[in-house]
């Protein structure tokens, strides 16, 4: 039996309330509109995934569970949207992640082996997060100690004792940052990425896990990953990016079944880290609005664990940098020719 992969730790945000959405062409503005509704009510979004395709979109939007009663009356869903309603959830985040595909693969493998059904997954620069139904929280927490080890914590009980009191501290921090133009540590671009979208569920998680193991063995990073509702019951749409290279394509497409996948070359991924996302309302709404106003074709967006990550066509890098600079105070931009001071 292989030794568990060493990680720094994990944290659980609970209770949370998650809204899962799926819509056809013509309703692509729905995720941004919902984020706007929540912002006007001063409701924080603590987790967000969104993927946009030519004929459909999927999104998962998470808020703190104690704000669900305030949120329900303002969630005005346009016609043609299918929605789960607000699901009582927990959000489990494992760190550090460092875009290592084997971490995500191991998480998917244990979820599949234990028969759990995640509502959504999102990767940030530092962590991989899974939103799950609240009643399965303990089952997943215990299962994490099979593929992973967490420093001095040998058992789920050890970890639970160490976390007492921290959850309330986290809640007190949320909403404490409300500056007019939030500051991030920087904006980083990864160009020449390929985006793959694939519908998976159940035993398909094991196939995806093996594909990510192949990436890891080849030294290929997983530069972006989210899941969103697919429009099919019990199936998720995974959207992820890897460097646009032949070895990355071979590592994935040799395993993933044809007919369920879409390969999109020439994309770019942006990362922004800061203490703000989840700590103040309105940020996601501003991102959607500024990209729409600039005519930028946002392909996917992930907001989790103090990180905002997105995918768009490579030709939009410069216009997107200008648009994001209008929303955030960005001291430095890396990954493109100039670095703004």
């Amino acid at each position: 039996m292989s030794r568990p992969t060493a990680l720094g730790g994990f944290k659980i945000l609970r209770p949370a309330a998650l809204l899962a959405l799926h819509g056809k062409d013509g309703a692509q503005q729905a995720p941004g509109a919902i984020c706007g509704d929540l912002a006007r009510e001063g409701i924080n979004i603590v987790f967000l995934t969104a993927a946009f395709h030519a004929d459909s979109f999927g999104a998962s939007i998470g808020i703190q569970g104690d704000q669900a009663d305030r949120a329900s009356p303002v969630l005005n869903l346009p016609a043609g949207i299918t929605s789960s309603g607000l699901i009582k959830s927990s959000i489990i985040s494992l760190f550090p992640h460092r875009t290592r595909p084997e971490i995500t693969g191991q998480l998917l493998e244990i979820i599949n082996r234990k028969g759990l059904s995640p509502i959504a997954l999102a990767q940030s620069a530092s962590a991989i997060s899974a939103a799950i139904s609240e009643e399965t929280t303990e089952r997943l927490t215990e299962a994490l100690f099979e593929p992973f080890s967490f420093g001095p914590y040998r058992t789920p009980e050890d970890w639970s004792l160490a976390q007492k009191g921290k959850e309330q501290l986290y809640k007190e921090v949320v909403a404490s940052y409300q500056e007019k133009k939030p500051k991030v540590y920087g904006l980083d671009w990864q160009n020449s990425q390929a985006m793959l979208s694939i519908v998976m569920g159940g035993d398909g998680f094991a196939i995806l896990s093996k594909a990510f193991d192949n990436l890891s063995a080849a030294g290929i990073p997983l530069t972006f990953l989210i899941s969103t509702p697919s429009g099919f019951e019990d199936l998720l749409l995974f959207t992820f990016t890897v460097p646009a290279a032949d070895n990355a394509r071979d590592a994935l497409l040799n395993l993933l079944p044809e007919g369920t996948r879409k390969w999109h070359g020439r994309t770019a991924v942006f990362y922004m880290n800061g203490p703000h996302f989840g700590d103040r309302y309105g940020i996601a709404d501003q991102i959607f609005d500024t990209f729409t106003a600039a005519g930028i074709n946002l392909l996917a967006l992930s907001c989790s664990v103090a990180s905002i990550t997105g995918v768009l066509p490579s030709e939009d890098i410069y216009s997107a940098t200008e648009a994001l600079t209008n929303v955030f105070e960005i001291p430095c931009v890396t990954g493109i020719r100039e670095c703004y001071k």
Side-chain angles (χ1 to χ4, degrees):
M1 185 175 179
S2 60
R3 296 181 62 183
T5 301
L7 294 179
F10 66 96
K11 66 179 182 179
I12 303 175
L13 175 60
R14 66 185 299 191
L18 210 79
L19 180 70
L21 307 165
H22 183 268
K24 298 295 185 181
D25 188 27
Q28 304 275 40
Q29 302 304 315
I34 291 169
C35 290
D37 291 339
L38 294 173
R40 283 185 285 277
E41 291 297 316
I43 296 172
N44 299 330
I45 296 173
V46 296
F47 180 92
L48 170 67
T49 65
F52 302 93
H53 301 277
D55 57 353
S56 65
F57 81 89
S60 297
I61 301 172
I63 62 173
Q64 283 181 212
D66 56 7
Q67 295 187 328
D69 289 343
R70 288 176 55 208
S72 293
V74 303
L75 295 175
N76 301 311
L77 302 181
I81 302 292
T82 57
S83 167
S84 64
L86 287 170
I87 305 170
K88 291 183 179 179
S89 311
S90 297
I91 300 169
I92 298 182
S93 301
L94 288 74
F95 55 87
H97 182 262
R98 300 192 185 98
T99 69
R100 293 161 59 190
E102 72 273 19
I103 305 298
T104 300
Q106 289 171 307
L107 177 60
L108 287 171
E109 194 277 333
I110 198 67
I111 285 173
N112 175 61
R113 184 149 47 88
K114 297 298 181 179
L116 303 174
S117 299
I119 305 168
L121 290 97
Q123 176 182 305
S124 74
S126 60
I128 177 71
S129 300
I132 58 173
S133 58
E134 189 175 25
E135 63 267 21
T136 63
T137 304
E138 280 71 28
R139 287 175 59 198
L140 181 55
T141 301
E142 292 176 3
L144 291 176
F145 282 78
E146 294 179 23
F148 304 113
S149 64
F150 302 96
Y153 309 118
R154 300 288 182 181
T155 67
E157 291 74 24
D158 292 342
W159 179 87
S160 295
L161 286 172
Q163 305 312 303
K164 286 190 178 297
K166 292 184 180 179
E167 191 170 285
Q168 184 58 39
L169 177 63
Y170 174 80
K171 289 180 179 179
E172 290 172 0
V173 170
V174 168
S176 63
Y177 296 98
Q178 288 297 329
E179 65 274 77
K180 193 170 184 179
K181 194 172 184 180
K183 183 176 181 179
V184 296
Y185 301 128
L187 169 62
D188 180 54
W189 286 100
Q190 294 286 329
N191 199 2
S192 300
Q193 302 295 300
M195 186 178 80
L196 190 69
S197 299
I198 186 164
V199 175
M200 282 287 188
D203 290 341
F205 286 1
I207 298 172
L208 199 54
S209 175
K210 178 60 177 174
F212 290 161
D213 284 346
N214 282 1
L215 288 180
S216 179
I220 301 166
L222 187 62
T223 50
F224 178 89
L225 177 131
I226 60 170
S227 75
T228 53
S230 67
F232 299 99
E233 189 175 359
D234 298 327
L235 297 178
L236 294 175
L237 174 66
F238 285 86
T239 301
F240 56 93
T241 63
V242 293
D246 289 343
N247 61 338
R249 189 183 183 104
D250 292 343
L252 292 168
L253 299 191
N254 289 342
L255 275 174
L256 301 179
E258 293 186 25
T260 60
R261 66 197 190 205
K262 296 180 181 177
W263 185 269
H264 189 306
R266 292 197 54 76
T267 64
V269 179
F270 69 84
Y271 305 93
M272 292 191 298
N273 294 315
H276 308 289
F277 193 84
D279 301 332
R280 56 159 287 174
Y281 55 82
I283 286 181
D285 174 46
Q286 289 178 290
I287 292 173
F288 283 124
D289 281 352
T290 193
F291 278 178
T292 298
I296 294 167
N297 181 24
L298 181 65
L299 300 174
L301 184 68
S302 168
C303 301
S304 65
V305 195
S307 180
I308 300 170
T309 313
V311 185
L312 38 74
S314 291
E315 60 265 25
D316 287 340
I317 287 179
Y318 290 97
S319 56
T321 298
E322 182 178 358
L324 290 168
T325 303
N326 291 333
V327 176
F328 299 93
E329 183 181 335
I330 300 174
C332 188
V333 181
T334 58
I336 55 177
R337 289 180 181 277
E338 55 267 13
C339 187
Y340 301 92
K341 300 294 185 181

